[in-house]
Amino acid sequence: MSRMRVRKLFRKTRFFFFALFGLIVISVSVLSITTVSRELSVEYESNSRSIAQNIADSSVDILLNRNLATLQSLIDQFVQIESIRYIYITSETGEFLAHTFVPGIPDEILASDASSTATVERSLPGLGDFIEVGAPILSGVAGTVHVGMDLELLGLKIQRAIGAQMALFGIIFVIGSLLTFWFVNLASQPLADLLAFAVRMAGGESATGDEPVLSRDDEAGELARLFVHVNRRAAGADRER
Amino acid sequence: MKNADGTRARGHRPNGTVPALTRRSLIRSGFASLLAAPWASSLGASMVPGAGASAARGRNASRPPQDDEIVLGVSAAFSGPSRGLGTELYRGSMAYFNQLNENGGVNGRRIVMKLLDDGYQPDPCVANTIELMQDENVFLLFNYVGTPTVTRALPVLKTFRDQQVFLFFPFTGAEPQREPPYGEFAFNLRASYRQETAGLVDNFVRIGRRRIAVFYQNDAYGRSGWAGVREALARHGETIAGEATYTRGTQFSASMRGQVEILLERSPDAVICIGAYAACGAFARDAVDLGLHIPVANVSFVGSENMLQLLQEGRSDPNSHTRWLVNSQVVPSYEDTSLPAVREYREMMAVHDPPPPDNVARITEGEPYETFPQSFVSLEGFVNAKLITEIIRRMGDDPQRSGIEEAVFAVRNYDLGVGERVSFGPERRQGLQRVYYTVVEGDRFVPLEDWEAKFS
């Protein structure tokens, strides 16, 4: 018995499935990009500020002892932290007392307000983009610590987080699609059998009673049996005429 | 892991370099793992000076100190771009200890150096210091090399202060081991960077070169010298005219064009370099090539002979890049045979010609190290050894750590034979004060007699 496929009936179902999935993916992605970006940025800035404050607190005695070698040693240890790209410490008069720049202090930083502790974003030619925070040493009377965090690294972290989500969505999409096709085929099988049976009967074949669709106990089976019954009644009426 | 000769090769790197730490690895590993870091490579053999370095091969590095010897713990640069400093300092000391031990040692005890390589990197130095104090039970620490390393090792000494282990005569003129809160754990022989840079600045200002720029290693050492220049200029009413930096471990093959261009923009009259020989040599080379024809000064840590070798090697005119160099030194010229210590040094170096530490040969395989018959660094190692021997001699037949400080403070007006008498005391933890200035003449550094004639 040739199998007939029921495509048209489920076309809308499949369209609806993909449309709904796309909507979920887009809305969740937008939400997660916004959330992850905001949360990571906040965490980044918070960490930077904590580190800057930590250095500022540790620097008081060192600065009062005018021990700049130890001060440099201190910031050299902090700059080994992955996301920190530069640190510089300025005196209360704005003089650069210690820093981690090679081959020199960028002009943009030389020109900036050394006593400012505000969070600023900097783009330094040849170095990259940074978010810089400041922390006062002894309320600013002994100087200011500035810590620059790598924005590219932050971007990379956001990309990684979003990428992981996208990968998860992709896997769910592939599995969902396969399951949908399988389920639609499974659900349409009785209808396909019924359609094939009806086509054969319309072609003048008489039902033998062996057709599998006649033994089904679902709606397709009842419809098939009803077709047989109607067909037989129609055949009896023809003979009486 | 053990080498064929039985010495340990912990962290042994065939190319002779101490691997760079990644930031990620530092965060992950934390301090605890730093202490066990594999690159805190042990050079293994405890040298047996009387028998020469070669006889030390095959000895177990961890053997406990013997009754008839005094063990000095050394963590220094025996690999990497600054290995010449640790090696020459060691050779100078070995020349003296070899002679001493061949003649019965001090109060019947031989002096032995336990060597660990830190590659001039702070974290391995910290690990080495703990190992020397905790595992090797050394009598004292000796001949450490470098400011970034010593600066980080000092807190270890303070942490284990009850053990009364002192650091003697580190090869650095920085302030942290001369001032509170760590000054009480170290004794210095050489003059400080503050004194060296002050002398250079004063002489430059005297001949009318007032706009002075600084090229420095961007770490505690460079900052120490930078601070010295800043302070000295302030006394003349001047500020630093310009500054450029480089990263520790930079090789001679690196380009210093960026640094030279930064300083060219500031039009300085002179540049004071606070760095190691490879990077300072590269800077001196590129300064001449790019038209920065002004005096380029280096402090003693640079390792003058190592730098000169790099600048002259393979050049048709060996002095094309050395005309503007002026290096400050903290020991007199090794050519000045009027000084008894210099005569002794030359004689003992000629007799013993100590080879580099034997494991260095393996670490730097493919990069043979060429020793110098004489150098300022090995002369400093020699006088360091001579003075520490005198201090130990004053401690009698049964030297104890608890008696070290008293023995050092008893050194008053001691004639070391370098033309300057040495004194120590509770408020005086630096033995020598004099700074010498040298320029290149032919294939060596010679005393600079007339600044005006040379640079005006």
Side-chain angles (χ1 to χ4, degrees), chain A residues 72 80 82 95 101 103, chain B residues 23-24 216 223 230 243 245:
Chain A
Q72 183 71 42
Q80 290 175 336
E82 186 186 28
E95 187 185 10
F101 295 109
Chain B
R23 293 173 182 171
R24 185 184 294 275
Y216 60 100
R223 187 58 59 193
R230 171 177 170 261
E243 62 175 77
T245 60

Side-chain angles (χ1 to χ4, degrees), chain A residues 95-174:
Chain A
E95 187 185 10
F96 287 76
L97 298 177
H99 67 82
T100 59
F101 295 109
V102 174
I105 305 169
D107 291 339
E108 291 79 1
I109 288 181
L110 283 171
S112 64
D113 177 8
S115 62
S116 170
T117 59
T119 301
V120 290
E121 285 195 18
R122 290 191 190 282
S123 187
L124 303 175
L127 293 176
D129 297 323
F130 305 94
I131 184 168
E132 184 184 304
V133 298
I137 304 171
L138 268 186
S139 300
V141 296
T144 312
V145 175
H146 304 263
V147 173
M149 309 284 277
D150 193 345
L151 270 178
E152 284 169 22
L153 193 66
L154 175 64
L156 197 65
K157 281 185 176 177
I158 292 171
Q159 279 175 21
R160 277 186 198 148
I162 304 300
Q165 279 192 347
M166 290 296 114
L168 183 64
F169 280 138
I171 292 167
I172 291 172
F173 178 74
V174 170

